[in-house]
Amino acid sequence: MTQDEKKQAVAEAALEYVESGTVIGVGTGSTANFFIDGLGRIKGKLDGAVASSEATAERLKQNGIPVLDLNATGGLALYVDGADESNRYLHLIKGGGGALTREKIVAAASEKFVCIADDSKLVDVLGTFPLPIEVIPLARSYVARQIVQLGGTPVLREGFTTDNGNIILDVHNLEILNPAEIEENLDRIVGVVTNGLFAKRPADVLLLGGDSGVTKLD
Ligand code: 5RP
């Protein structure tokens, strides 16, 4: 199976979690895109969706799915999104696509977070994938120095601005043995908007696509 076929398979499996008459949260990235295209086929079931990025909003609209404002919907029953890495406790690194802040907000507002990924994303210890951190532009150098003190190597994502008008620092060389503690410590740095660790609010279910089909971890 190709990586795309694995992504497609988990996206199809995630459609089973969509209940009639609900509004759901939808993530960002290539795996989430397979899910959005699948949603297009069952759009009659949905009252609408909250998007975690402008790109996702656009794709939802192309599929005929009403895009709603989280401030108007209140809490969501379900959030479906991909990840850059997951450990076996369903702590995630996200933000490879730069949408981490809105993704974290929509995940926080959702009762159930179903993460969908191909099996290359499952790791023993998080941190091989550089950890994305969204930063207020004025704070770039200050935040970078604080991250170096924590043992990381921050690299500016060149030519990239988030949907919120901020920059991303991708942090290399972090061995993330205690994800919730590191998430908390990074959030305490002034100028950090969000970091890409999803440990305080991990996924509830991880659907992993592999050569022998879809495996569910929860
Ligand atoms: C975007 C994300 C994505 O979920 C993550 O980058 C995975 O993307 P893909 O499904 O393309 O592998 O966090 O900010």
Side-chain angles (χ1 to χ4, degrees), residues 7 28-31 81-84 94-100 103 121:
K7 290 178 181 186
T28 299
S30 56
T31 320
D81 196 359
D84 299 300
K94 291 186 46 54
L100 60 158
E103 290 173 340
K121 307 289 183 72

Side-chain angles (χ1 to χ4, degrees), residues 46-180:
L46 276 182
D47 285 351
V50 172
S52 65
S53 65
E54 299 298 331
T56 287
E58 192 51 44
R59 200 169 182 112
L60 285 164
K61 286 181 205 156
Q62 283 166 3
N63 275 283
I65 297 160
V67 176
L68 305 175
D69 179 349
L70 184 62
N71 291 307
T73 60
L76 304 172
L78 176 68
Y79 179 55
V80 177
D81 196 359
D84 299 300
E85 279 185 353
S86 174
N87 65 20
R88 283 167 204 285
Y89 306 101
L90 311 195
H91 302 142
L92 312 173
I93 287 183
K94 291 186 46 54
L100 60 158
T101 298
R102 296 190 190 189
E103 290 173 340
K104 208 178 255 199
I105 293 166
V106 183
S110 299
E111 222 167 278
K112 180 171 255 183
F113 176 6
V114 175
C115 183
I116 51 177
D118 68 83
D119 55 3
S120 70
K121 307 289 183 72
L122 186 66
V123 296
D124 289 328
V125 178
L126 298 174
T128 302
F129 189 92
L131 178 66
I133 303 192
E134 180 165 357
V135 175
I136 301 284
L138 171 74
R140 186 192 69 226
S141 296
Y142 170 74
V143 169
R145 289 195 298 276
Q146 302 306 303
I147 288 169
V148 169
Q149 283 190 10
L150 292 174
T153 308
V155 176
L156 177 66
R157 198 177 292 185
E158 294 284 352
F160 186 85
T161 304
T162 70
D163 285 347
N164 312 309
N166 297 313
I167 58 149
I168 298 274
L169 294 176
D170 290 305
V171 182
H172 298 247
N173 301 326
L174 281 181
E175 196 190 14
I176 303 173
L177 295 172
N178 188 341

